[in-house]
Amino acid sequence: MEDRYKPQEIEARWQAYWEENEIFRVESEGKDRHYYCLEMFPYPSGKIHMGHVRNYSIGDVIARYKKMRGYSVLHPMGWDAFGLPAENAAIQRGIHPKTWTIENTNYMRAQLKKMGFSYDWSREVTTCTPEYYRWNQWFFLRMFERGLAYRKSSFVNWCHSCGTVLANEQVLDDDRCWRCDSRVVQKELDQWFLKITAYADELLEGCEVLTGWPERVTTMQRNWIGKSEGVEVDFPVEGLDEPLRIFTTRPDTLFGVTFMSMAANHPLASVLTGDKAGLQRVRECYGDIQAKEGVFTGHYARNPLTGERVPIWVANFVLMEYGTGAVMAVPAHDQRDFEFGRKYGIDVKVVIQPEGEVLAPATMTEAYVDPGILVNSSDFSGLGSEEAKGRIMDHIEGQGLGRRKLNYRLRDWGVSRQRYWGTPIPIVYCDTCGTVPVPDEQLPVLLPEDVDLTGGGSSPLARHEAFVRVNCPVCAKPARRETDTMDTFVDSSWYFLRYTGQPSDRPLDSTQVSRWLPVDQYIGGIEHAVLHLLYSRFFTRVVRDIGLMEVDEPFRNLLTQGMVIKDGAKMSKSKGNVVDPDHLVGHYGADTARLFALFAAPPEKDLEWSDKGVEGAHRFLHRVWALVFRHSGNSGEFEPGALEGAGRAIFRKTHQTIKKVTLDIDRDFHFNTAIAALMELTNDLTNFSPATAPDRGVMRFALERLILMLSPFAPHIAEELWGGLGTARTSVSQAPWPSWDEEAAREDEIELVVQINGKVRARAMVPAETTEETLKSIALSQEKVVEALRGKPPRRVIVVKGRLVNVVV
RNA sequence: GCGAGAGUGGCGGAACUGGCAGACGCACCAGACUUAGGAUCUGGCGGCUUCGGCUGUGGGGGUUCGAGUCCCCCCUCUCGCACCA
């Protein structure tokens, strides 16, 4: 073995070895223990960045560790390869999106291989290939059959200059297009939707069983789904046949209604309101969080419970998107209604009194929104507000005035994109037959390659005559294809199923899915807390209901890694604080890059990048190399029970380190402290000079275990050192993870801390098994303790076995 | 505003069920080897100190023999949601 650590010379060699010997290929057969370790696949934007390095280093440690623990590990990688940047590159640089994408995947695959990640590349998935996206189409058709994919008119973000729809996240803060900076407008278009709301309840309830997910992620999903239980009530409108329907979660305040308010874009708003200028004024501050603007319609409604006549207003803060677009207003018990009512001089009627207090409309400064006792509420007066909710809802339903209703914040998922680089939606429009699904046997609907992307205006596919023209699958008359493509979140909603098996005639291999799913550990960024992770949970249930598998939840455990930041800010080109993984790997090697990414912070926290810290990680690897080199020829027999002195201490430290590293990985993947423990062991070994044969044996024993434990973090150097230790062996990645012996790890001496009144005053080395009585007498005989006691007996003595004695004087 | 999380040396971060605060690494200081050091090795490294100690985990109070850890109040920061009726 070389005397100096030269990562550039060894890393490529081991990468080739792993590849040639298919070390990380996982078999599909066998009844062994298996483990599915998955990291979010990247968008092939060109090069991997530090976020990828960190994400994939975390996953790789887990995968390699589980493999050493005897699991069959499925650890795949692929490409989220459809998407907008490919089209932009085409427009800006004249490269075809496919060429651009494939070139990027080739480059990035090479980068990932240079990082030494243990992927089973035979399972690679690329979503922009017909072999993959035909199954997007297949799933879409199954959803269409079930009424889960439907078309409706809806408002979208539209950029005139780019001639296309923008996703919400592609619209900048001031309503400008992220690409061309022109104004984005709302435009009504026919769009395809997937009916995720049909699963709203199940997705919500599923959050309960996701105990392996960070709580904040399930909380965000719960909030996103936004279920609320309430009641819909019809308020008759004077002079109108049609009642005004409202939704409320506070039926207990129904007796306190003093006006009604509706959204400015409510269908009745323009019908009822005479003051068109006022209506326009309200409309202009629709959704403005500061404002409380309203206009009186001139009409009145009748409270169906009380018969009271209440004015109907249009208010800017009432949203058409939620509930029925109209609300009953209770100024006494709703802060918005209170502010609105004050501004426009509307009555406040108190119907809930807090205990031990009496609210009066004249003196209230804010709405009382908490529970209390009902007053002025007919037969319901005197009830607690929580109880009253149920009773009043019963009454409303019994009288036929309304019905209980669940409302969700969650909207159906709009998947239409007026883009080229995506999955064509497999639908044909026929003048005779209407909306016709493309038959399965005609899939895939291929994305044509000869398109004009530079034209602007309409979507590229809509301009592609040969694509658009088609004969109707039902009546064979000329018809037109749907020219929208699918949101790329469709691609990423089921790719983890496709990794388990890639049959050419079916979307997935049910046997393999049931073998591997759910994913044991999923690792990725928090930015997908709702979007990708919610869509995948939805898709998984659809695939289940189609009958292809029995999985409910796709990801059993989720680890959301923190951002990589530098100089206090997220790495970005515009801030000029990016670290290029290529340079890093070229200079220090992949092992150093991995080690630092794992050492500098626990995975779920943000990681502050430090060039100096990287050098520290690099130095550590040099020290390990030098240590192994120095002792590579050493060996010797030893009897653990017979060890003494330094040799015994090293033996114990080795067992302690195995224990700590194993538990740190198993409990929360705290690699930073695991690596710190390996550094400690290395420091101890560096200071250990074995002089006897048993000592040399202990050194070798310790080095072997050090290398085994280092291997998931820094696999290349571990392979090389494993070989450097001499005897013929297989790849270190195929060696079993070391185990520890509690007995051997136990300290035989401890430093007893002696406190007086809780302050450390003395220390003494004592055998670890010393009894409490003896510890007490040792403590009391300490010079400082004797001084402090001055002959008097201690007030109290607390003995913590194996740790300390506190003498209270 | 609501919800969640976090505040520990110059920095990143350790500290299991309350029991030696600051592991490990970085930076820094001193020394060794050197023509040289931005290489390597050794040692030191929270603050104050009359060298006995004192003090210290955002601030204040409390429980306890003992609090970074538990309880109450306050401050700051980060993230998420933000008129959801």
Side-chain angles (χ1 to χ4, degrees):
Chain A
M1 113 182 235
E2 295 263 349
D3 62 336
R4 297 257 312 156
Y5 170 46
K6 294 169 188 160
Q8 291 78 4
E9 288 175 20
I10 62 173
E11 292 189 348
R13 199 168 72 241
W14 284 105
Q15 287 154 16
Y17 173 88
W18 296 329
E19 192 158 346
E20 279 159 24
N21 294 279
E22 299 186 323
I23 300 290
F24 301 112
R25 188 184 183 109
V26 61
E27 297 307 323
S28 303
E29 303 297 322
K31 294 198 173 75
D32 51 358
R33 297 193 302 170
H34 43 77
Y35 191 91
Y36 189 173
C37 178
L38 180 70
E39 299 117 50
M40 290 181 186
F41 66 169
Y43 178 77
S45 57
K47 288 180 137 197
I48 62 168
H49 53 66
M50 276 304 155
H52 294 128
V53 168
R54 188 180 191 198
N55 189 171
Y56 302 153
S57 294
I58 292 165
D60 202 48
V61 174
I62 296 170
R64 286 175 177 269
Y65 170 73
K66 289 292 177 182
K67 183 174 169 65
M68 292 176 81
R69 290 293 297 263
Y71 290 85
S72 280
V73 176
L74 173 56
H75 189 213
M77 184 40 72
W79 310 99
D80 187 11
F82 269 139
L84 212 48
E87 279 179 69
N88 293 336
I91 293 162
Q92 285 157 16
R93 291 188 253 162
I95 311 168
H96 194 277
K98 180 179 174 182
T99 312
W100 184 82
T101 303
I102 297 304
E103 279 175 5
N104 287 349
T105 59
N106 286 340
Y107 189 82
M108 292 168 73
R109 187 185 306 103
Q111 284 186 301
L112 295 180
K113 286 185 176 178
K114 280 184 184 166
M115 288 300 301
F117 297 136
S118 63
Y119 299 123
D120 179 352
W121 284 105
S122 72
R123 294 166 180 268
E124 185 177 356
V125 157
T126 305
T127 59
C128 65
T129 59
E131 293 75 30
Y132 187 85
Y133 71 70
R134 75 174 289 179
W135 303 114
N136 282 345
Q137 295 170 342
W138 190 89
F139 283 124
F140 185 91
L141 293 172
R142 298 293 84 75
M143 291 195 210
F144 181 78
E145 289 162 4
R146 286 165 169 74
L148 293 172
Y150 65 93
R151 207 159 95 110
K152 74 165 185 195
S153 178
S154 113
F155 282 94
V156 292
N157 304 306
W158 183 263
C159 174
H160 277 297
S161 159
C162 302
T164 187
V165 160
L166 297 176
N168 284 338
E169 51 274 19
Q170 291 153 6
V171 179
L172 305 179
D173 289 341
D174 54 349
D175 282 347
R176 290 183 182 278
C177 173
W178 68 298
R179 190 169 48 184
C180 69
D181 211 39
S182 54
R183 274 279 173 207
V184 170
V185 297
Q186 294 296 301
K187 180 174 172 178
E188 198 164 12
L189 277 182
D190 277 342
Q191 300 273 291
W192 283 95
F193 287 86
L194 299 184
K195 205 169 190 173
I196 190 171
T197 54
Y199 288 84
D201 256 323
E202 206 195 327
L203 290 168
L204 185 65
E205 280 162 22
C207 289
E208 303 301 320
V209 303
L210 292 175
T211 51
W213 284 35
E215 205 176 303
R216 64 176 178 143
V217 176
T218 48
T219 301
M220 282 165 72
Q221 294 217 346
R222 282 192 193 95
N223 292 342
W224 189 264
I225 294 166
K227 178 178 180 172
S228 55
E229 301 177 31
V231 60
E232 277 184 357
V233 185
D234 288 339
F235 279 60
V237 179
E238 286 181 3
L240 207 69
D241 294 337
E242 194 184 345
L244 182 59
R245 176 168 293 180
I246 59 96
F247 171 76
T248 182
T249 56
R250 292 295 305 274
D252 52 323
T253 64
L254 252 162
F255 289 86
V257 173
T258 56
F259 66 103
M260 309 295 290
S261 43
M262 66 170 78
N265 50 348
H266 190 285
L268 285 180
S270 53
V271 175
L272 296 178
T273 313
D275 179 0
K276 298 301 176 196
L279 183 59
Q280 184 58 29
R281 182 174 46 76
V282 176
R283 190 171 280 150
E284 273 162 16
C285 50
Y286 180 75
D288 178 348
I289 195 134
Q290 309 292 340
K292 289 286 174 290
E293 283 296 326
V295 61
F296 177 45
T297 60
H299 287 73
Y300 292 84
R302 212 161 268 286
N303 186 328
L305 255 67
T306 63
E308 281 175 308
R309 192 166 178 256
V310 289
I312 304 173
W313 287 70
V314 176
N316 74 307
F317 63 88
V318 179
L319 306 175
M320 197 58 217
E321 290 80 8
Y322 187 77
T324 62
V327 297
M328 62 181 213
V330 186
H333 306 294
D334 182 286
Q335 187 58 27
R336 297 157 298 182
D337 296 343
F338 184 85
E339 289 169 26
F340 189 89
R342 275 286 143 94
K343 175 164 179 177
Y344 292 103
I346 302 171
D347 286 350
V348 175
K349 184 182 170 194
V350 173
V351 293
I352 293 175
Q353 288 288 3
E355 270 184 271
E357 212 182 317
V358 177
L359 295 175
T363 56
M364 286 173 77
T365 54
E366 60 179 8
Y368 178 76
V369 298
D370 295 322
I373 305 297
L374 266 68
V375 295
N376 298 324
S377 300
S378 173
D379 296 345
F380 302 98
S381 295
L383 289 177
S385 52
E386 285 308 310
E387 191 193 348
K389 277 183 188 170
R391 298 272 288 267
I392 292 176
M393 282 197 283
D394 289 343
H395 178 74
I396 287 167
E397 289 192 321
Q399 299 291 308
L401 305 172
R403 62 221 63 80
R404 280 182 163 82
K405 178 87 199 273
L406 296 176
N407 246 316
Y408 298 90
R409 213 181 70 108
L410 182 69
R411 298 271 90 91
D412 278 338
W413 174 13
V415 292
S416 289
R417 295 291 180 272
Q418 289 69 39
R419 303 287 187 191
Y420 165 66
W421 196 232
T423 304
I425 292 175
I427 292 290
V428 169
Y429 301 106
C430 169
D431 288 340
T432 312
C433 308
T435 302
V436 179
V438 174
D440 283 0
E441 57 274 16
Q442 289 178 24
L443 296 185
V445 176
L446 283 172
L447 190 63
E449 295 193 10
D450 55 332
V451 289
D452 170 25
L453 292 165
T454 56
S458 59
S459 111
L461 286 182
R463 292 195 305 270
H464 193 286
E465 276 299 310
F467 176 79
V468 174
R469 284 170 196 245
V470 64
N471 291 328
C472 170
V474 176
C475 69
K477 285 186 208 154
R480 296 176 64 81
R481 279 194 196 281
E482 168 66 63
T483 57
D484 283 352
T485 52
M486 294 183 204
D487 183 2
T488 57
F489 276 115
V490 172
D491 310 345
S492 53
S493 290
W494 67 283
Y495 76 107
F496 44 90
L497 302 175
R498 187 75 182 169
Y499 279 142
T500 66
Q502 300 175 21
S504 57
D505 59 340
R506 288 161 293 154
L508 44 91
D509 179 333
S510 298
T511 311
Q512 291 305 317
V513 170
S514 68
R515 170 177 160 86
W516 292 107
L517 268 283
V519 171
D520 290 282
Q521 186 65 55
Y522 198 27
I523 307 141
I526 188 75
E527 66 272 18
H528 291 111
V530 173
L531 296 169
H532 160 60
L533 290 168
L534 189 63
Y535 295 145
S536 296
R537 295 181 61 220
F538 161 60
F539 230 86
T540 296
R541 286 166 168 82
V542 173
V543 175
R544 176 200 65 192
D545 290 346
I546 289 170
L548 294 179
M549 61 181 194
E550 292 178 355
V551 182
D552 297 317
E553 287 292 346
F555 314 121
R556 181 174 286 147
N557 296 296
L558 174 68
L559 174 64
T560 49
Q561 103 258 9
M563 283 189 305
V564 180
I565 54 181
K566 185 146 190 278
D567 310 322
K570 184 179 178 172
M571 284 188 184
S572 73
K573 276 183 207 150
S574 59
K575 294 200 183 70
N577 61 347
V578 286
V579 176
D580 180 7
D582 282 346
H583 288 146
L584 191 65
V585 172
H587 195 79
Y588 295 104
D591 283 340
T592 294
R594 296 168 55 122
L595 194 72
F596 178 73
L598 296 164
F599 175 64
E604 68 278 5
K605 287 186 65 172
D606 284 351
L607 183 153
E608 172 74 33
W609 195 264
S610 154
D611 295 335
K612 290 290 186 183
V614 173
E615 283 181 33
H618 193 58
R619 272 199 293 269
F620 167 66
L621 292 178
H622 269 286
R623 284 203 301 275
V624 174
W625 183 282
L627 176 68
V628 175
F629 176 75
R630 197 155 62 242
H631 298 285
S632 59
N634 279 353
S635 67
E637 298 293 318
F638 69 95
E639 183 63 45
L643 288 169
E644 293 179 336
R648 183 178 172 81
I650 289 294
F651 186 70
R652 182 168 51 232
K653 181 74 177 181
T654 305
H655 280 279
Q656 289 172 343
T657 305
I658 297 169
K659 179 177 181 179
K660 170 141 183 72
V661 173
T662 306
L663 294 180
D664 279 353
I665 296 175
D666 281 340
R667 163 176 61 89
D668 300 335
F669 304 126
H670 277 189
F671 306 128
N672 56 330
T673 52
I675 292 167
L678 294 177
M679 289 173 168
E680 274 192 63
L681 178 61
T682 302
N683 292 345
D684 282 8
L685 293 177
T686 304
N687 294 329
F688 175 50
S689 308
T692 64
D695 277 1
R696 284 193 292 274
V698 169
M699 175 59 97
R700 186 181 186 85
F701 171 88
L703 289 178
E704 284 178 0
R705 272 136 198 90
L706 174 65
I707 293 166
L708 287 169
M709 288 187 282
L710 185 62
S711 68
F713 304 98
H716 310 87
I717 189 175
E719 290 280 19
E720 193 71 16
L721 294 177
W722 193 240
L725 276 184
T727 38
R729 296 163 189 275
T730 55
S731 162
V732 70
S733 65
Q734 292 176 305
W737 185 256
S739 56
W740 77 91
D741 176 38
E742 277 297 341
E743 193 55 39
R746 186 169 297 138
E747 294 285 352
D748 39 27
E749 262 197 324
I750 56 130
E751 188 183 52
L752 180 71
V753 171
V754 180
Q755 294 182 333
I756 298 172
N757 294 339
K759 303 203 172 187
V760 182
R761 282 293 180 273
R763 298 160 190 276
M765 295 307 297
V766 300
E769 295 309 311
T770 311
T771 63
E772 292 192 17
E773 268 313 299
T774 317
L775 288 177
K776 184 173 172 180
S777 63
I778 290 169
L780 291 176
S781 64
Q782 294 295 309
E783 197 180 324
K784 298 264 187 182
V785 176
V786 173
E787 273 173 35
L789 286 171
R790 281 178 301 182
K792 289 179 233 160
R795 270 244 299 268
R796 197 169 162 187
V797 180
I798 289 105
V799 181
V800 183
K801 196 161 177 293
R803 285 183 198 270
L804 61 72
V805 176
N806 187 13
V807 182
V808 185
V809 301

